[in-house]
Amino acid sequence: MDDEPLSEWAKRRDAKVGRLRAVHLTAGEGDPRGFHVNPDAPRVIQRWNGHLWEPYAFASDLAEAKRVLYATDETEAADPPAPGPAPRLGTGTGRHRKPRPPRPDPR
């Protein structure tokens, strides 16, 4: 078995330092999966320090947790990109372009 050098492993581990995650604050929720479950429940934002997840912030609900986790630059929020032109659909014979057969009358 080929072991990777310790320096490469340490570099990969250090790249993850500072990563944030949100977990349910209420007891009995289990592991941190199911981020979308119970959107009104309070969340604890945790930060990875390289060895364990430590408390970083508190969010009162899912929307606030997302604002903390996915914060963007002020410049990006102020100037959203302009929408591009709508895609042009060509003529084709694909299944999705065929007319649907009439539905039977439910009576």
Side-chain angles (χ1 to χ4, degrees):
M1 183 167 114
D2 295 332
D3 290 334
E4 73 177 312
L6 186 59
S7 60
E8 289 181 20
W9 173 82
K11 190 184 307 182
R12 201 175 67 241
R13 185 197 66 193
D14 291 343
K16 296 177 183 180
V17 171
R19 183 174 288 176
L20 300 177
R21 76 174 182 181
V23 295
H24 287 92
L25 182 63
T26 55
E29 292 293 332
D31 57 37
R33 287 181 279 171
F35 181 71
H36 64 285
V37 177
N38 198 2
D40 297 327
R43 308 284 202 279
V44 172
I45 310 296
Q46 296 178 334
R47 183 179 177 272
W48 180 249
N49 69 5
H51 301 286
L52 56 93
W53 291 98
E54 60 187 10
Y56 177 75
F58 173 79
S60 61
D61 59 5
L62 177 62
E64 186 178 344
K66 283 184 176 183
R67 281 193 295 275
V68 172
L69 292 177
Y70 308 117
T72 60
D73 254 359
E74 294 295 326
T75 57
E76 290 178 10
D79 299 321
R88 293 190 49 125
L89 298 177
T91 58
T93 59
R95 190 175 96 197
H96 61 285
R97 297 183 189 267
K98 292 181 183 177
R100 292 187 176 170
R103 292 179 146 183
D105 193 16
R107 295 182 210 180

